[in-house]
Amino acid sequence: MAEIRDTKRVVKCQKSCNRSAEDLLLWIKNKDYDGSVRPNVTGGPVVIDIETYISSVSSIDERDMEFSLDMFFRQRWKDSRLIYQPHPDKGPDQRVILSPELTKYVWQPDVYFRNSKDARFHMVPTQNVLFGINPDGSILLSARITTVLACQMNFRKFPMDRQTCHFYVGSYSQTEENVLVRWRNGQGVIVPEELEIPQYDLTSVVSKDRKGAYNTGVFSEPEATFVFKRRLMFYVYGFYLPVTLVVLLSWISFWIDPESTPARVSLGVITILAMGNFLHGGGATPNVSYATALDVYVITSFVFVFASLMEYAAVHCALIKYQQSDINEPCKLVKFGDSVKSQDSEEGMVNGSFSSSSTVQLPVTLKNDEEEGHSLRRKSIIQGAKLYYIHFNYKSLESYSRVAFPLLFAIFNIIYWFTYCGSKVSDQGIC
């Protein structure tokens, strides 16, 4: 039996190894080649070495959580049925290029992109596909493809975030027993140095071979991981700097005379309206249900601006009470008699005495120690209130605000920038 198999292989090799490239094309065209059967069908799996050359990353869409790749996707495998004699006048890298009409008769791996939302081949001016066969039966299939890939993004640190997106490749119907897909030389993603992405930097690309286990079998699924770092300066100029200036503008009111009500109220309202334009990033932030880092900064700044207006409300209220108070006016006590007789007054006289429903205000002369103590206690309360009011009047509140507001805002900025740009710069790569 072994001799019979060896004889068949020799006969096959004599037919294939001695044919020319023209004979190979004619053999494929006549459909003598069975493209429905994979190479080495009775042996081990067909090894598909893949690589991709990224020509551009056209867009990173935060709203739909996707990114687009324009690439040259290349697949390499070997089919011993397509061996032919090399031309003596050509170099060692000679290759027979098949037309698109002939490629449909040759076996090809059913490679697909697992997280692709949309993909298309480039057809201008002609179909951008290269199908070449080397004399030893090695095949190169290269195609220019634009694909939109899904990417799960986290915007809690937006705009000081890094997004990690994946590119999954695999065989759709052939398990690892039949087709093994892997990155060529372990690093199949090629990125040119001059690649430019709006608002992002491509910090790293890592490719690795992995397996995917499903209820239909175990499939090889090579994975490429792209790490995009957002460029912060656009948001510094467009959001952080203007918001900070609006907060500083709201503090000018602390140096305006509290009696200039129109000026201070107008300044407070204008700054609040200006801050309203920056809420939710002015429409530039992703629509997510949680607060981003930019939202935290804008909302906190809005609170500072609103607090400066509320500070003037408290100062104005204290100023009005101070102007209306009459603390230095001497107190006048009034005593109502129950049964006071008078020869000079006869109003309200009933049976020689005043009725309980009638009141007469009379200057009272303190006659005993109890009334004198009551008066002293009242004067003491008034003096205490006066001292407290002087200690914490509107002028003191203005002085405290001039120091407290900038100090608190500075502390907030230190905590904010340290949290997002501080201790984990090397790991998270924020700023």
Side-chain angles (χ1 to χ4, degrees), residues 318-329 386 389:
L319 177 63
I320 295 301
K321 290 184 177 180
Y322 182 78
Q323 293 175 346
Q324 292 179 350
S325 64
D326 192 10
I327 299 177
N328 295 324
E329 183 179 349
K386 179 180 178 181
Y389 196 84

Side-chain angles (χ1 to χ4, degrees), residues 121-135:
F121 289 94
H122 287 256
M123 308 296 292
V124 178
T126 58
Q127 186 176 0
N128 299 171
V129 176
L130 182 150
F131 195 103
I133 305 175
N134 291 79

Side-chain angles (χ1 to χ4, degrees), residues 227-291:
V227 180
F228 300 101
K229 176 184 175 183
R230 195 184 303 273
R231 295 174 181 172
L232 182 61
M233 295 311 298
F234 170 80
Y235 297 93
V236 170
Y237 297 141
F239 294 94
Y240 286 101
L241 185 58
V243 167
T244 302
L245 292 178
V246 171
V247 174
L248 298 180
L249 181 63
S250 67
W251 297 342
I252 297 178
S253 63
F254 299 152
W255 282 268
I256 299 178
D257 188 358
E259 296 185 6
S260 300
T261 303
R264 296 194 61 164
V265 172
S266 299
L267 182 60
V269 172
I270 290 174
T271 53
I272 287 179
L273 294 178
M275 286 297 302
N277 294 328
F278 295 103
L279 291 177
H280 299 292
T285 58
N287 296 327
V288 291
S289 59
Y290 49 83

Side-chain angles (χ1 to χ4, degrees), residues 276 298 310 318 324 341 415:
V298 173
M310 292 298 98
Q324 292 179 350
K341 293 183 180 180
I415 297 175

Side-chain angles (χ1 to χ4, degrees), residues 157-190:
K157 294 184 178 180
F158 175 89
M160 295 165 286
D161 56 335
R162 279 191 173 188
Q163 301 300 337
T164 301
C165 299
H166 303 279
F167 175 37
Y168 298 104
V169 187
S171 176
Y172 188 81
S173 62
Q174 301 292 332
T175 63
E176 278 195 332
E177 297 178 353
N178 298 320
V179 174
L180 178 63
V181 185
R182 66 185 184 185
W183 292 113
R184 188 187 183 196
N185 299 326
Q187 296 179 349
V189 181
I190 304 171

